Amino acid sequence: MTLLPDVISPEKWIVHLFSAKSVAEGGTVRRKVADVERLIGRDRFLHEVRRRGFRVVENAGQFIVFCNREPVYVLN
């Protein structure tokens, strides 16, 4: 994982997140909700996820983004 500077613009953060290898491979990425809200805001983050046609879930203070267009099922 590449280290980010202490201060990063929202645009650079989005580029950094969505250029991850797991995104390109249709995998998942996980980020702390508090970090997302502090760095770019929840609304902007959700907009960027939707714009790419991805799905996101929130659990235990984490966002998990499914970086593909497949349906997501919660199985119990």
Side-chain angles (χ1 to χ4, degrees):
M1 175 169 40
T2 307
L3 294 177
L4 294 173
D6 291 336
V7 178
I8 185 170
S9 72
E11 291 74 23
K12 285 184 181 181
W13 187 89
I14 290 165
V15 168
H16 180 76
L17 173 65
F18 291 110
S19 64
K21 182 179 177 183
S22 61
V23 174
E25 294 174 347
T28 61
V29 291
R30 178 176 55 100
R31 294 295 182 272
K32 289 182 182 180
V33 171
D35 289 345
V36 170
E37 290 176 342
R38 176 175 52 85
L39 293 167
I40 68 166
R42 179 182 292 256
D43 290 340
R44 174 78 187 272
F45 175 71
L46 295 176
H47 169 77
E48 293 296 333
V49 169
R50 280 191 298 267
R51 188 170 75 83
R52 290 165 171 79
F54 297 162
R55 306 269 194 250
V56 62
V57 297
E58 179 181 350
N59 178 263
Q62 298 281 320
F63 284 125
I64 299 93
V65 180
F66 300 89
C67 302
N68 58 61
R69 295 174 182 238
E70 299 297 320
V72 174
Y73 304 100
V74 176
L75 306 175
N76 293 338

